[in-house]
Amino acid sequence: MKTILITGSSSGFGLETARYFLERDWRVLATMRTPQLDLLPPSRNLQVLQLDVTDLQSVHRAIEAAGPIDVVVNNAGFGAPSPFELTSMEAVRALFETNTFGTMAVTQAVLPQMRERQSGVIINVTSSVTYKPLPLVGVYRAAKAAVNAFSESLASEVAQFGIRVHMVLPGSSGETRFRETARTRLQGMDNAIYGDYMKRTIARMAESTGPGTQSKDVAEAVWRAANDDSAPLRIPAGADALQWASEAG
Ligand SMILES: NC(=O)c1ccc[n+]([C@@H]2O[C@H](COP(=O)([O-])OP(=O)(O)OC[C@H]3O[C@@H](n4cnc5c(N)ncnc54)[C@H](OP(=O)(O)O)[C@@H]3O)[C@@H](O)[C@H]2O)c1
């Protein structure tokens, strides 16, 4: 039986991916900042572990408790739209701390055991916003684009140890807590210089929303990355992500 460890399993894509793999008889290590035992159906193949990707001790504790891991999914993340001029450096650092450095910390903690076993798969959930220069999300895009660049180099570096690295790039999804979290972190709507621009831009983005991405699209993309040796490095997940990927060429 294979083992998958997923960060940010308390909701959204992470929770759906945990459910998807459990249903297919994998051992699932569902990690969460604040462990909740009742989110997933009870199963002897399920273990819920505490893991905050911004806390190195918590990362190492979870990886040690996990034992052998075949697949790790760096899914924990959040977005916080605001005009760059109004984005505090604290907010910039927080976005990188979770989306970028968190991914790197978990990856670094799991690499030694994968290298020793000469096998493993690292799957980094980034975003299809990295395909498009959208306004108001520059720092989030930069944090995810940094993970894309990191993943590409790492893939070349660790292929010699039988380790694969993939990026899953979801499109926009209303099914998860992502938008709610982003709304609570939104800055600048009342600002005299940027406020009206923000309202217009956000209204336009809402109008142009097409079919979007379902949590299942992401779980399926992770499944493909985990199981298919010939899966591409970048896997867009969701109809909108596929569209943006094809437009980007
Ligand atoms: N939804 C979208 O439109 C969209 C599009 C493209 C990419 N993405 C990416 O997809 C991933 C999953 O997002 P989602 O849409 O499923 O949103 P979500 O429902 O808000 O889930 C985010 C998860 O990340 C966890 N998390 C946040 N900070 C963490 C930390 N420091 N340590 C560990 N876990 C942490 C959250 O845990 P708590 O419960 O503790 O907050 C939650 O479980 C993110 O990386 C996001 O950037 C989302």
Side-chain angles (χ1 to χ4, degrees), residues 8 10-11 13 33 52-53 75 126 140 144 171 173 176-178:
S10 64
S11 93
F13 300 156
R33 272 201 288 208
D52 179 336
V53 300
N75 162 76
T126 69
Y140 174 69
K144 292 297 198 187
S173 177
T176 73
R177 280 212 322 257
F178 183 84

Side-chain angles (χ1 to χ4, degrees), residues 28-101:
V28 173
L29 305 171
T31 75
M32 308 176 189
R33 272 201 288 208
T34 310
Q36 289 164 249
L37 301 177
D38 55 351
L39 295 176
L40 287 155
S43 163
R44 62 193 158 83
N45 296 339
L46 171 67
Q47 203 176 341
V48 175
L49 294 172
Q50 196 280 336
L51 196 165
D52 179 336
V53 300
T54 65
D55 174 350
L56 217 46
Q57 270 191 347
S58 153
V59 169
H60 283 282
R61 214 172 28 235
I63 302 295
E64 269 163 37
I69 298 165
D70 298 293
V71 177
V72 69
V73 184
N74 286 301
N75 162 76
F78 71 91
S82 62
F84 181 66
E85 187 182 341
L86 305 182
T87 312
S88 67
M89 282 310 295
E90 197 187 352
V92 172
R93 289 201 174 90
L95 275 160
F96 273 81
E97 208 51 71
T98 297
N99 289 291
T100 314
F101 304 143

Side-chain angles (χ1 to χ4, degrees), residues 84-124:
F84 181 66
E85 187 182 341
L86 305 182
T87 312
S88 67
M89 282 310 295
E90 197 187 352
V92 172
R93 289 201 174 90
L95 275 160
F96 273 81
E97 208 51 71
T98 297
N99 289 291
T100 314
F101 304 143
T103 293
M104 291 180 179
V106 172
T107 302
Q108 202 166 57
V110 83
L111 271 175
Q113 56 150 289
M114 288 186 170
R115 176 180 43 71
E116 276 163 25
R117 285 200 314 276
Q118 298 279 298
S119 87
V121 185
I122 295 164
I123 302 169
N124 295 332

Side-chain angles (χ1 to χ4, degrees), residues 1-242:
M1 181 183 288
K2 286 199 168 184
T3 298
I4 185 167
L5 181 142
I6 306 162
T7 68
S9 299
S10 64
S11 93
F13 300 156
L15 183 60
E16 179 60 25
T17 302
R19 194 177 291 126
Y20 193 93
F21 276 73
L22 268 179
E23 282 167 2
R24 284 156 184 79
D25 294 327
W26 277 55
R27 178 174 172 244
V28 173
L29 305 171
T31 75
M32 308 176 189
R33 272 201 288 208
T34 310
Q36 289 164 249
L37 301 177
D38 55 351
L39 295 176
L40 287 155
S43 163
R44 62 193 158 83
N45 296 339
L46 171 67
Q47 203 176 341
V48 175
L49 294 172
Q50 196 280 336
L51 196 165
D52 179 336
V53 300
T54 65
D55 174 350
L56 217 46
Q57 270 191 347
S58 153
V59 169
H60 283 282
R61 214 172 28 235
I63 302 295
E64 269 163 37
I69 298 165
D70 298 293
V71 177
V72 69
V73 184
N74 286 301
N75 162 76
F78 71 91
S82 62
F84 181 66
E85 187 182 341
L86 305 182
T87 312
S88 67
M89 282 310 295
E90 197 187 352
V92 172
R93 289 201 174 90
L95 275 160
F96 273 81
E97 208 51 71
T98 297
N99 289 291
T100 314
F101 304 143
T103 293
M104 291 180 179
V106 172
T107 302
Q108 202 166 57
V110 83
L111 271 175
Q113 56 150 289
M114 288 186 170
R115 176 180 43 71
E116 276 163 25
R117 285 200 314 276
Q118 298 279 298
S119 87
V121 185
I122 295 164
I123 302 169
N124 295 332
V125 178
T126 69
S127 174
S128 63
V129 294
T130 56
Y131 291 124
K132 267 202 180 180
L134 295 176
L136 304 177
V137 289
V139 180
Y140 174 69
R141 283 188 75 230
K144 292 297 198 187
V147 178
N148 288 348
F150 160 69
S151 305
E152 286 166 353
S153 290
L154 187 70
S156 308
E157 197 172 306
V158 298
Q160 61 177 318
F161 306 126
I163 301 170
R164 290 190 283 117
V165 180
H166 298 273
M167 288 155 268
V168 166
L169 296 90
S172 179
S173 177
E175 280 185 3
T176 73
R177 280 212 322 257
F178 183 84
R179 288 183 191 167
E180 188 188 317
T181 304
R183 259 195 304 276
T184 62
R185 291 173 173 265
L186 193 74
Q187 291 172 45
M189 285 298 247
D190 300 325
N191 182 268
I193 298 161
Y194 286 102
D196 285 345
Y197 168 75
M198 284 185 75
K199 284 172 200 141
R200 281 198 309 276
T201 308
I202 290 170
R204 208 169 45 239
M205 283 178 185
E207 270 166 28
S208 64
T209 302
T213 295
Q214 326 275 296
S215 297
K216 191 155 181 241
D217 298 329
V218 177
E220 283 169 355
V222 172
W223 178 262
R224 184 175 171 205
N227 290 291
D228 179 356
D229 286 351
S230 61
L233 189 58
R234 286 174 190 247
I235 309 179
D240 50 346
L242 284 162

